[in-house]
């Protein structure tokens, strides 16, 4: 999909070009898809802001852009924010030009309908992410003669209606017989997206529209999709290098490190600098609290196995690819939370210096008292030089008292590419998976009162998770119990979606899907994590307020990080701010158009 960008599309910003051949039109259509992929799109900006600013991620507390978005205090002048905005609008702009030129071409009606349908899908997809992450945004459906054309802000419902029009047009004009191909959309793929937008409109009480109508439409379009796709047998195979041909991929973006125009730089954002031969920045990591919630949830439910999806979601140990030795010692592995790490000192026995979740009263939330007792319970000691008495490892100080570095947080693993070249990755990005679709339809059916069908869809996803264990089967995650109320099932589906989809492109949207309610669920869960609170608000942090390596606690005391008890703080963080550059360059916008709280 990215090779098309080598062609420098001639129709860009030019309404005079007419496509005289199916070949040139196909190249231009490929470019419409391709404009979703650069670093100003999903190749960095959109993905980075979505995962990094979701509320599930950590970044250094060093006044960087990542610090701002991880703190839910997004910097309006941030580069990633502007890239995400510009990248999505670039896809809109090129799709607008393509549609206009195709309609003016002498090609057959069949080709024009098919290609303009696909371009309308791409435009609708760009507006979907813009509206779900920014709310009301400037809406333009015609080609512009200049980047500086002033466009006023449309309200959310107007943008949502335009997306539905685009996707309905795409569904009606893409041929039934068109085969599914990775990197392109097909007819039933469009139906899956129509189901998703109607479902999203039904979830959030603050969004415009009739809930019953939207649920009915979500069911209608979703039912058309059933049977088209299936789950990948092994969860981990969804995130292998350059994944293609997955039965689960409804729509994906393809990458190649040989492209001169389209880059996947997500390894650079999410990987540790020494876990591959490529260049990485480890800018965004997972929070301790979400890691512990994910790891410990099966144990808390009485299971003895760990959800196999954990091992594809988090990276906590890896071989050092760049520096095999240190001071004469072999550095076989580097460790992060929940393992002990005094990297780069190899004399610490990291393999045992870890939290033993099975011994905790609450495996999702290690208590401070348990951490203080851990050294004496297990006798952890550093590997000292010959002739020097080993010292006990200070588990409490390491995990809860603000002493740390980057190794104090696990890595998001799904977009790490151990075969990357420089900053560029070959990893393809599946934007819409069948597991996402099944969990979505579970929520639709639950809201329509059919809890049995809803549980069945969730249990399909949980079964695949169990079958993804290294040995072929795990007892966890267990199927949902039959006695959940509709309200309990709604919340359970919310969390199951996070466990399945965390660290992927829609993470920001997922956390906010039910508005203030679900954002509060997530942040409150983090605040209940003892290590998170102590590490961010404990005495050591009060004595060292500029500490760059600490967690974030969204307390009720009006701290810099806001409060989960403050509806205005939560309301602000339901949406990203319009980038300052857009406000100053678009004459149709004013400061009054900025989103709430910014």
């Amino acid at each position: 999909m990215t090779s098309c960008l080598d062609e420098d599309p001639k129709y860009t910003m030019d309404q005079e070009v007419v496509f005289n051949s199916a070949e040139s039109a196909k190249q231009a259509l490929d470019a419409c898809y391709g404009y979703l992929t650069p670093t100003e799109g999903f190749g960095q900006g959109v993905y980075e802001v979505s995962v990094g600013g979701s509320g599930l991620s950590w970044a250094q507390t060093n006044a960087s852009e990542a610090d701002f978005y991880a703190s839910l205090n997004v910097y309006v002048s941030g580069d990633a924010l502007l890239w995400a905005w510009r990248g999505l609008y670039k896809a809109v702009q090129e799709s607008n030009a393509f549609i206009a030129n195709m309609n003016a071409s002498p090609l057959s009606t069949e080709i024009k309908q098919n290609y303009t349908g696909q371009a309308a899908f791409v435009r609708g997809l760009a507006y979907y992410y813009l509206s779900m992450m920014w709310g009301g945004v400037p809406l333009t459906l015609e080609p512009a003669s200049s980047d500086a054309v002033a466009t006023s802000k449309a309200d959310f419902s107007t943008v949502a209606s335009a997306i539905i029009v685009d996707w309905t047009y795409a569904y009606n004009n893409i041929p039934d017989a068109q085969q599914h191909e990775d990197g392109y959309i097909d007819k039933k793929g469009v139906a899956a997206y129509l189901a998703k937008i109607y479902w999203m409109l039904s979830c959030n009480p603050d969004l415009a529209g009739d809930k019953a109508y939207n649920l009915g439409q979500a069911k209608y379009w979703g039912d058309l999709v059933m049977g088209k796709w299936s789950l990948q047998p092994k969860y981990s195979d969804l995130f292998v290098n350059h994944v293609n041909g997955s039965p689960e991929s409804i729509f994906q973006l393809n990458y190649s490190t040989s492209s001169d125009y389209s880059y996947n730089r997500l390894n650079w954002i999410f990987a540790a600098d020494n876990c591959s031969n490529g260049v990485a920045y480890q800018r965004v990591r997972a929070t301790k609290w979400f890691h512990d919630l994910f790891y410990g949830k099966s144990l808390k439910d009485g299971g003895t196995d760990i959800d196999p999806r954990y091992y594809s979601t988090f990276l906590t140990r890896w071989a050092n690819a760049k520096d095999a030795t240190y001071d004469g010692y072999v550095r076989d592995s580097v460790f992060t939370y929940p393992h002990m790490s005094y990297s780069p000192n190899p004399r610490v026995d990291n393999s045992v210096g870890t939290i033993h979740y099975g011994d905790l009263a609450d495996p999702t939330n290690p208590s401070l008292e348990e951490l203080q007792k851990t050294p004496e319970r297990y006798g952890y000691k550093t590997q000292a030089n010959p002739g020097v008495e080993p010292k006990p490892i200070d588990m409490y100080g390491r995990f809860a008292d603000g002493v740390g570095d980057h190794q104090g947080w696990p890595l998001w693993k799904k977009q790490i590419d151990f075969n990357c070249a420089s900053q560029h990755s070959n990893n393809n990005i599946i934007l819409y998976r069948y597991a996402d679709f099944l969990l979505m339809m579970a929520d639709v059916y639950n809201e329509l009162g059919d809890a049995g069908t809803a549980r069945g869809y969730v249990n399909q996803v949980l079964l695949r998770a169990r079958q993804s264990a290294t040995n072929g089967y795990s007892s966890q995650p267990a199927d949902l119990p039959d006695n959940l109320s509709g309200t309990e099932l709604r919340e359970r589906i919310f969390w199951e979606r996070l466990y399945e989809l965390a660290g992927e492109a829609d993470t920001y949207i997922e956390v906010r899907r039910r508005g203030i309610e679900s954002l509060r669920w997530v942040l409150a869960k983090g605040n209940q994590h003892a290590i998170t609170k102590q590490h961010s608000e404990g005495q050591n942090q009060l004595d060292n307020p500029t500490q760059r390596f600490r967690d974030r606690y969204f307390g009720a005391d009006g701290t810099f990080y806001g409060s989960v008890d403050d509806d205005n703080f939560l309301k602000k963080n339901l949406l990203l701010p319009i980038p300052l550059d857009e406000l100053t360059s678009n004459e149709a916008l004013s400061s009054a158009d900025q989103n709430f709280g910014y």
Side-chain angles (χ1 to χ4, degrees):
M1 290 317 309
T2 59
S3 62
C4 60
L5 294 181
D6 296 336
E7 295 298 326
D8 186 19
K10 293 181 179 179
Y11 68 91
T12 300
M13 303 301 293
D14 183 355
Q15 301 178 47
E16 303 301 322
V17 173
V18 175
F19 298 120
N20 291 306
S21 72
E23 181 181 4
S24 63
K26 179 60 165 53
Q27 288 179 340
L29 175 64
D30 286 352
C32 290
Y33 283 103
Y35 279 115
L36 294 168
T37 64
T39 53
E40 285 195 339
F42 288 93
Q44 181 177 340
V46 178
Y47 209 114
E48 177 185 350
V49 172
S50 180
V51 177
S54 63
L56 303 181
S57 293
W58 175 86
Q60 286 191 63
T61 53
N62 61 351
S64 65
E65 181 183 7
D67 183 3
F68 282 106
Y69 59 59
S71 301
L72 303 190
N73 187 37
V74 180
Y75 188 38
V76 297
S77 298
D79 289 336
L81 180 77
L82 181 59
W83 289 353
W85 177 276
R86 281 182 172 173
L88 292 169
Y89 270 109
K90 182 66 172 174
V92 167
Q93 174 183 316
E94 299 305 329
S95 297
N96 285 342
F98 176 83
I99 291 169
N101 287 315
M102 275 301 298
N103 285 331
S105 80
L107 297 175
S108 70
T109 299
E110 181 182 7
I111 291 177
K112 288 198 287 189
Q113 288 178 340
N114 182 4
Y115 286 8
T116 57
Q118 292 187 61
F121 164 76
V122 172
R123 180 172 65 186
L125 185 67
Y127 274 126
Y128 175 81
Y129 281 93
L130 284 163
S131 62
M132 293 301 166
M133 297 173 75
W134 278 273
V137 295
L139 179 66
T140 176
L141 303 174
E142 300 292 337
S145 59
S146 168
D147 284 333
V149 172
T151 307
S152 60
K153 179 178 178 179
D155 61 33
F156 173 84
S157 61
T158 301
V159 179
S161 295
I163 297 167
I164 291 170
V165 168
D166 267 349
W167 287 351
T168 303
Y169 176 85
Y171 180 83
N172 290 334
N173 286 279
I174 295 174
D176 293 345
Q178 182 165 304
Q179 296 296 311
H180 175 79
E181 184 178 354
D182 286 337
Y184 297 89
I185 198 68
D186 62 14
K187 194 179 191 74
K188 287 197 174 181
V190 177
Y193 271 101
L194 280 163
K196 175 170 271 196
I197 190 170
Y198 279 115
W199 170 66
M200 288 294 297
L201 293 174
S202 75
C203 288
N204 189 337
D206 295 327
L207 299 183
D210 180 270
K211 179 177 180 179
Y213 172 79
N214 289 326
L215 283 171
Q217 288 295 301
K219 180 181 181 301
Y220 169 79
W221 290 105
D223 286 346
L224 294 178
V225 176
M226 288 298 176
K228 168 72 175 180
W229 286 274
S230 60
L231 295 172
Q232 182 80 29
K234 295 288 186 182
Y235 185 76
S236 59
D237 289 342
L238 292 163
F239 311 105
V240 297
N241 185 246
H242 209 67
V243 61
N244 267 305
S246 171
E248 189 164 336
S249 177
I250 296 175
F251 180 66
Q252 70 182 57
L253 302 175
N254 293 343
Y255 288 88
S256 169
T257 56
S258 63
S259 171
D260 292 330
Y261 297 94
S262 181
Y263 306 136
N264 180 341
R265 288 215 307 176
L266 297 180
N267 183 79
W268 184 72
I269 295 296
F270 294 108
D273 185 47
N274 55 1
C275 72
S276 75
N277 286 317
V279 178
Y281 188 50
Q282 56 193 22
R283 178 183 293 178
V284 177
R285 290 184 176 240
T287 57
K288 291 183 177 74
W289 75 261
F290 187 69
H291 168 277
D292 288 355
L293 181 68
F294 199 126
Y295 188 93
K297 63 186 179 67
S298 299
L299 300 175
K300 188 174 183 178
D301 290 341
T304 57
D305 294 329
I306 304 303
D307 185 335
R309 294 174 296 184
Y310 165 85
Y311 301 101
S312 296
T313 304
F314 303 98
L315 182 67
T316 63
R317 175 178 180 172
W318 62 91
N320 189 313
K322 293 184 177 179
D323 184 10
T325 63
Y326 176 81
D327 195 22
Y329 289 81
V330 176
R331 296 177 62 185
D332 293 327
S333 296
V334 181
F335 295 79
T336 68
Y337 183 90
H339 308 288
M340 290 297 297
S341 172
Y342 286 86
S343 180
N345 189 337
R347 301 182 182 89
V348 178
D349 187 354
N350 294 292
S351 63
V352 296
T354 188
I355 298 173
H356 285 237
Y357 290 90
D359 294 337
L360 302 177
D362 179 355
T364 68
N365 191 357
S367 72
L368 302 181
E369 292 76 17
E370 288 169 320
L371 289 177
Q372 288 172 322
K373 294 178 181 178
T374 299
E376 62 188 61
R377 182 184 300 174
Y378 297 107
Y380 293 157
K381 293 184 178 181
T382 60
Q383 296 173 350
N385 291 323
V388 178
E389 175 63 23
K391 296 181 179 180
I393 295 175
D394 180 10
M395 297 285 282
Y396 175 85
R398 182 63 179 176
F399 288 142
D401 204 22
V403 179
D405 57 17
H406 270 86
Q407 310 310 107
W409 289 265
L411 296 160
W412 290 116
K413 186 179 181 182
K414 291 177 178 176
Q415 282 300 322
I416 294 177
D417 179 4
F418 294 102
N419 300 301
C420 64
S422 185
Q423 295 183 9
H424 304 154
S425 169
N426 275 316
N427 277 5
N428 296 334
I429 301 172
I430 302 179
L431 284 185
Y432 197 179
R433 299 199 276 112
Y434 189 59
D436 177 349
F437 174 80
L438 285 175
L439 293 172
M440 175 192 77
M441 293 304 291
D443 196 64
V444 169
Y445 273 88
N446 181 56
E447 295 299 322
L448 292 172
D450 188 348
T453 299
R455 287 195 306 272
Y457 289 149
V458 176
N459 289 341
Q460 286 185 49
V461 177
L462 298 180
L463 174 62
R464 190 271 298 276
R466 295 195 296 272
Q467 293 175 340
S468 296
T470 303
N471 63 359
Y473 187 81
S474 170
S475 64
Q476 298 294 326
D479 284 349
L480 298 182
D482 295 340
N483 60 350
L484 295 174
S485 68
T487 300
E488 290 170 332
L489 185 53
R490 176 190 300 143
E491 187 168 352
R492 186 66 179 266
I493 291 170
F494 173 83
W495 287 104
E496 290 299 338
R497 286 185 62 83
L498 286 190
Y499 300 142
E500 176 70 25
L501 303 169
E504 298 182 39
D506 285 21
T507 307
Y508 184 94
I509 300 169
E510 285 295 327
V511 169
R512 292 152 179 80
R513 179 166 55 80
R514 293 196 172 275
I516 285 176
E517 179 184 39
S518 61
L519 182 56
R520 181 177 277 126
W521 286 346
V522 169
L523 299 185
K525 187 73 73 172
N527 282 0
Q528 294 162 9
H529 189 248
I531 296 177
T532 295
K533 184 172 183 179
Q534 175 67 17
H535 199 247
S536 57
E537 299 290 328
Q539 189 60 49
N540 186 68
Q541 293 302 338
L542 296 177
D543 294 339
N544 300 279
T546 61
Q547 168 64 253
R548 295 173 60 190
F549 299 100
R550 64 180 187 272
D551 289 309
R552 292 168 177 82
Y553 172 73
F554 298 93
D557 57 356
T559 63
F560 172 76
Y561 300 121
S563 169
V564 296
D565 298 321
D566 182 353
D567 282 0
N568 284 332
F569 168 72
L570 297 175
K571 180 181 177 181
K572 169 190 174 182
N573 281 289
L574 293 180
L575 297 172
L576 297 170
I578 297 173
L580 181 61
D581 185 80
E582 177 70 14
L583 285 176
T584 56
S585 63
N586 185 344
E587 294 180 357
L589 297 179
S590 70
S591 59
D593 291 309
Q594 183 58 281
N595 285 332
F596 175 84
Y598 294 100

